[in-house]
Amino acid sequence: MGIKILIADDEPNQLELMAFNLNSSGFICIKARNGEEALQLIEDSSPDLVILDWMMPNMSGIDLCRSLRSRSETKH
């Protein structure tokens, strides 16, 4: 089983481009269109790595990162 990467970006073209390139390199990609969706997917699928867009509506990448770092199960 490969390394699982979650990509969160509110711009569909950027999201698809990153996922295509990472999939082509053998990674398993999970895509989220906003911070709230990313948070739910992180809880459900426990990715190995998270790539966040800095500016997203409702919950920015910065806010999501702070939230993840405050939780014992995701702070590392």
Side-chain angles (χ1 to χ4, degrees):
M1 188 177 231
I3 296 173
K4 193 181 331 178
I5 300 174
L6 182 133
I7 307 166
D9 198 319
D10 62 324
E11 294 186 31
N13 291 337
Q14 291 285 60
L15 187 61
E16 292 303 321
L17 180 63
M18 285 188 281
F20 175 81
N21 285 314
L22 290 168
N23 282 326
S24 296
S25 297
F27 297 101
I28 299 164
C29 292
I30 304 165
K31 299 179 278 187
R33 295 173 305 233
N34 57 58
E36 293 163 339
E37 184 179 355
L39 186 57
Q40 185 62 50
L41 289 169
I42 290 166
E43 291 172 356
D44 294 344
S45 62
S46 300
D48 299 299
L49 177 71
V50 178
I51 299 173
L52 299 172
D53 180 16
W54 182 4
M55 295 173 45
M56 292 185 287
N58 301 328
M59 179 185 281
S60 72
I62 302 273
D63 292 337
L64 176 55
C65 187
R66 285 184 181 131
S67 174
L68 294 172
R69 291 184 137 212
S70 71
R71 299 173 180 206
S72 61
E73 62 274 1
T74 57
K75 70 179 181 180
H76 295 291

